Amino acid sequence: MTIDRNQTLFDRARQVIPGGVNSPVRAFKAVGGTPRFVQRAQGAYFWDANGKQYIDYIGSWGPMILGHGHPAVVEAVQKALLEGFSFGAPTEREVELAEAILARVPSMDMVRLVSSGTEAGMSAIRVARGATGRSKFIKFEGCYHGHADALLVKAGSGLATFGNPTSAGVPPEVVQHTIVLEYNNLQQLEEAFVTHGKELACIIIEPIAGNMNFVRASLPFMKRCRELCTQYGALLVFDEVMTGLRVALGSAQSVYARSIPGFEPDMTVLGKVIGGGMPLAAFGGKRHLMEQLAPLGPVYQAGTLSGNPVATACGLATLHEIGKPGFYEDLGRKTQSLVSGLTAAATKAGIPFCGDSEGGMFGFFLFPELPQNYAKVMTTDNKTFNTLFHGLLDRGVYIAPALYEAGFMSAAHTEADIAETVAAAADIFSAL
Ligand SMILES: *Cc1c(COP(=O)(O)O)cnc(C)c1O
């Protein structure tokens, strides 16, 4: 009998790490089975502890937009490592990365680098509250903004998977200023502003929500978010940790600006792609807002490893590669080709199916049409999804182990990888 090293490692892990994982969704709890322990990865593939190869559509949940081990990025990181791991003092690369980010996301005048999306989201809210002198803010059901206390209110993703609307350990007093509304619900939005408008520091929103699979904020909804914030003196905070430099070089805000002239958020939260796989995230926005931060202003925020020299080298090299002409056109074409291939295969087998994508991010649903909010996403048939998930896994295709997660294409994926994925899915659909 062959030994399943994934299982052996999982058994060992569970003795010393809660649930055997350092982030809940990795545990395969929603789909059952044994998580794959990754041994190494290259390009569009990774190999698990048994040496089995997979086409990777998670890419570390978004950062690996170039695929794994891109030579230019590896070289930049190796060079940076030799110059030192961390100094706790400013470096030129931080300035370069800040400039590179601002050049790509022009709604931001200034940016501060941190180590995780959680930190960045939490800090953006603090700036919004500090700058407006107001406490309340709006978040939308199904959007995830990291695990800071005030934001763990009916969040999606990992929490949704565990059917846990809010986390234990968060005192009710801490979330009393968090107003949770339904995504894409204009009426609730209007009502919330009528009631609380003058007390609102901000709206925080995932413009294309990737933590309830893939759900876009509709144009009228986004337009109204912007108008109401401006009218009531609240800030519009875009959480683009997932969508930033992933759906387009200019991020999701540039996608909305195509249809809503002059559209801009006041603040933006970034992560994932800007670190290229290293712990790096950022928050930024208008100058007068960012100048509220210490040491200039009264809003405190700090970090020992913020702007880490190895992480910034990785981020800079990644930004350089994704800035090359045609990058997002190629990426977007491949993503569309995957989604349309899967849709055609499902339709042929008579399975209700639809999907959507933007740039290198996609989602699909076992519904005839795209859902608009979290409640609808939650009505998905788990059993069919689990059959699809495990069928793909057996056939060497790794998608998110939960229905509430987006998927990610990288520059390293080939048309052959996509064809193989679609063929595997077609096989599973026809047996359903
Ligand atoms: C991943 C994510 C976060 C949290 O980032 P971490 O680096 O995991 O802390 C926040 N917001 C969104 C939209 C995300 O996708």
Side-chain angles (χ1 to χ4, degrees):
M1 204 189 98
T2 53
I3 292 166
D4 179 357
R5 286 208 72 233
N6 293 309
Q7 187 61 49
T8 312
L9 286 170
F10 193 41
D11 293 341
R12 242 174 87 194
R14 277 182 296 185
Q15 299 303 313
V16 287
I17 301 170
V21 291
N22 283 311
S23 198
V25 76
R26 296 178 196 171
F28 276 25
K29 195 161 173 177
V31 290
T34 309
R36 300 307 189 254
F37 280 67
V38 179
Q39 205 164 52
R40 68 188 179 90
Q42 184 59 47
Y45 317 116
F46 75 80
W47 287 263
D48 74 6
N50 295 329
K52 182 177 158 97
Q53 181 179 340
Y54 299 84
I55 304 173
D56 180 12
Y57 289 107
I58 299 185
S60 186
W61 302 95
M64 311 313 297
I65 194 165
L66 299 173
H68 298 281
H70 188 285
V73 179
V74 171
E75 192 190 328
V77 169
Q78 282 174 335
K79 184 165 174 285
L81 273 173
L82 296 175
E83 293 166 358
F85 288 20
S86 184
F87 314 118
T91 63
E92 183 170 350
R93 266 203 298 277
E94 292 170 88
V95 187
E96 271 182 62
L97 183 58
E99 289 167 349
I101 291 170
L102 300 185
R104 285 156 182 81
V105 189
S107 70
M108 296 193 283
D109 300 326
M110 296 184 109
V111 65
R112 184 162 272 177
L113 304 179
V114 295
S115 303
S116 73
T118 290
E119 258 189 287
M122 173 186 90
S123 306
I125 299 274
R126 189 177 301 147
V127 169
R129 283 171 156 171
T132 57
R134 302 170 177 184
S135 299
K136 289 196 190 332
F137 68 89
I138 289 175
K139 86 171 280 290
F140 298 99
E141 197 176 7
C143 290
Y144 178 65
H145 306 294
H147 64 89
D149 282 354
L151 288 159
L152 281 184
V153 189
K154 290 190 194 171
S157 207
L159 283 176
T161 301
F162 298 121
N164 204 352
T166 185
S167 169
V170 177
E173 297 78 17
V174 176
V175 296
Q176 66 178 336
H177 301 300
T178 310
I179 299 166
V180 183
L181 305 180
E182 189 174 70
Y183 200 69
N184 278 327
N185 188 324
L186 267 169
Q187 192 190 334
Q188 282 191 8
L189 181 72
E190 300 281 354
E191 284 169 7
F193 269 88
V194 169
T195 316
H196 303 290
K198 295 216 167 76
E199 308 158 273
L200 284 172
C202 67
I203 289 179
I204 185 164
I205 184 168
E206 279 185 81
I208 299 172
N211 287 284
M212 49 173 156
N213 199 325
F214 184 104
V215 183
R216 294 172 192 264
S218 74
L219 281 176
F221 185 73
M222 188 57 86
K223 194 158 172 276
R224 203 60 192 135
C225 283
R226 178 64 277 176
E227 287 167 357
L228 286 166
C229 282
T230 304
Q231 182 185 337
Y232 284 88
L235 305 178
L236 181 60
V237 180
F238 260 32
D239 182 347
E240 298 224 47
V241 172
M242 190 181 285
T243 53
L245 292 85
R246 164 54 73 179
V247 299
L249 190 59
S251 306
Q253 50 199 269
S254 71
V255 175
Y256 283 91
R258 275 180 224 152
S259 307
I260 311 172
F263 180 87
E264 274 186 352
D266 300 292
M267 294 190 71
T268 300
V269 187
L270 296 169
K272 298 191 169 113
V273 166
I274 60 162
M278 287 277 179
L280 198 153
F283 64 102
K286 296 298 166 206
R287 186 171 301 275
H288 71 279
L289 300 172
M290 292 304 284
E291 285 184 344
Q292 295 291 316
L293 279 167
L296 295 178
V299 178
Y300 193 71
Q301 183 276 334
T304 302
L305 296 177
S306 291
N308 177 268
V310 183
T312 49
C314 188
L316 268 171
T318 301
L319 260 58
H320 180 74
E321 293 300 318
I322 65 182
K324 292 185 174 169
F327 181 87
Y328 286 89
E329 287 77 3
D330 286 349
L331 190 66
R333 230 185 338 265
K334 283 190 289 183
T335 316
Q336 274 173 9
S337 143
L338 175 67
V339 171
S340 60
L342 292 174
T343 308
T347 308
K348 198 168 161 217
I351 293 160
F353 194 94
C354 65
D356 195 4
S357 69
E358 189 72 49
M361 178 174 160
F362 65 90
F364 61 78
F365 299 93
L366 301 163
F367 295 139
E369 57 194 54
L370 296 171
Q372 294 300 309
N373 58 50
Y374 181 68
K376 177 65 189 174
V377 173
M378 291 296 283
T379 63
T380 309
D381 172 14
N382 272 306
K383 249 179 69 189
T384 308
F385 176 78
N386 291 351
T387 306
L388 177 64
F389 171 80
H390 281 291
L392 288 173
L393 200 63
D394 288 346
R395 291 165 178 78
V397 176
Y398 191 67
I399 63 166
L403 257 170
Y404 321 112
E405 308 289 350
F408 304 96
M409 184 68 67
S410 84
H413 288 79
T414 62
E415 288 296 343
D417 294 326
I418 293 165
E420 189 181 327
T421 306
V422 171
D427 207 24
I428 301 158
F429 288 143
S430 62
L432 270 173

